[in-house]
Amino acid sequence: MLSDLLLLAPAAIIFVILLLLRLQGRATDAVPSEDTAPRNAIVVDGSNVMHWGGDPSLDVVSRVLRRLETAGFSPIVFFDANVGYKVGERYYTEETLAPLIGVRFDHIVVVDKGVVADEMILQCATDLGARIVTQDKFRDWRVRFPHAAKKGVLVSGKYTNGNVKWARPLKV
């Protein structure tokens, strides 16, 4: 019995490694590259923005996205895997979120459970040289992603009385 387990152990280890590599590749493939990014791309931390008005709300995200589009930006929105449970009662995919926030599903990334969304947000923004809409300061990530420390990269605001107010004027 033990000898059978020892024979199967290398195959099991290889299976787990291949599975992890596939999952890692899937997460990376979801992030737009320079070649596939929209013109005037701006990265939106959707899981952060949905709290700008208090309780989590996709309406707040939608209103922020409309203001960005009006200003000439093409938003790429990232959400944590639990977004559907924060605003609803089930898991939401990119396709589920698209009509709810008014953005094409290929401009939305819902990170896999266990994946750190901040890292993907910062990697995408760094790769594209884009700004990030969030209240987060990403202090723990600035050594690895110095792009986030550059003046004007982090765009913050708030949502009050049905209006989006930027901390600083927003220009393309």
Side-chain angles (χ1 to χ4, degrees):
M1 176 86 167
L2 183 59
S3 63
D4 290 341
L5 289 176
L6 290 174
L7 287 172
L8 291 174
I13 291 170
I14 291 171
F15 173 78
V16 170
I17 290 170
L18 290 173
L19 180 63
L20 290 173
L21 288 172
R22 180 181 167 113
L23 290 175
Q24 181 182 10
R26 182 174 158 234
T28 305
D29 291 344
V31 179
S33 68
E34 251 181 277
D35 298 333
T36 61
R39 189 169 166 267
N40 295 327
I42 190 164
V43 177
V44 179
D45 183 350
S47 291
N48 180 281
V49 170
M50 73 181 184
H51 290 277
W52 281 14
D55 292 333
S57 166
L58 291 179
D59 183 53
V60 172
V61 175
S62 182
R63 288 175 186 255
V64 168
L65 296 174
R66 297 300 77 77
R67 287 286 307 277
L68 290 169
E69 291 167 346
T70 299
F73 291 98
S74 295
I76 301 169
V77 191
F78 285 79
F79 288 100
D80 294 320
N82 67 351
V83 62
Y85 296 101
K86 293 261 186 175
V87 297
E89 297 180 5
R90 63 184 180 87
Y91 177 78
Y92 283 9
T93 64
E94 291 86 351
E95 290 83 0
T96 309
L97 287 163
L100 299 175
I101 62 173
V103 174
R104 293 176 17 191
F105 79 91
D106 59 342
H107 288 204
I108 302 170
V109 177
V110 178
V111 301
D112 292 332
K113 182 178 176 184
V115 173
V116 180
D118 288 356
E119 183 174 13
M120 291 185 69
I121 289 166
L122 291 163
Q123 187 65 61
C124 180
T126 299
D127 290 348
L128 300 176
R131 289 185 261 180
I132 305 168
V133 178
T134 186
Q135 296 289 26
D136 199 333
K137 301 298 181 209
F138 300 112
R139 287 185 180 99
D140 295 342
W141 294 96
R142 288 190 177 189
V143 170
R144 185 163 169 213
F145 296 101
H147 177 72
K150 292 178 184 174
K151 185 176 180 178
V153 168
L154 301 180
V155 177
S156 63
K158 61 184 177 178
Y159 181 80
T160 54
N161 300 323
N163 294 308
V164 177
K165 304 244 186 216
W166 303 115
R168 292 191 182 100
L170 186 63
K171 297 177 186 172
V172 176

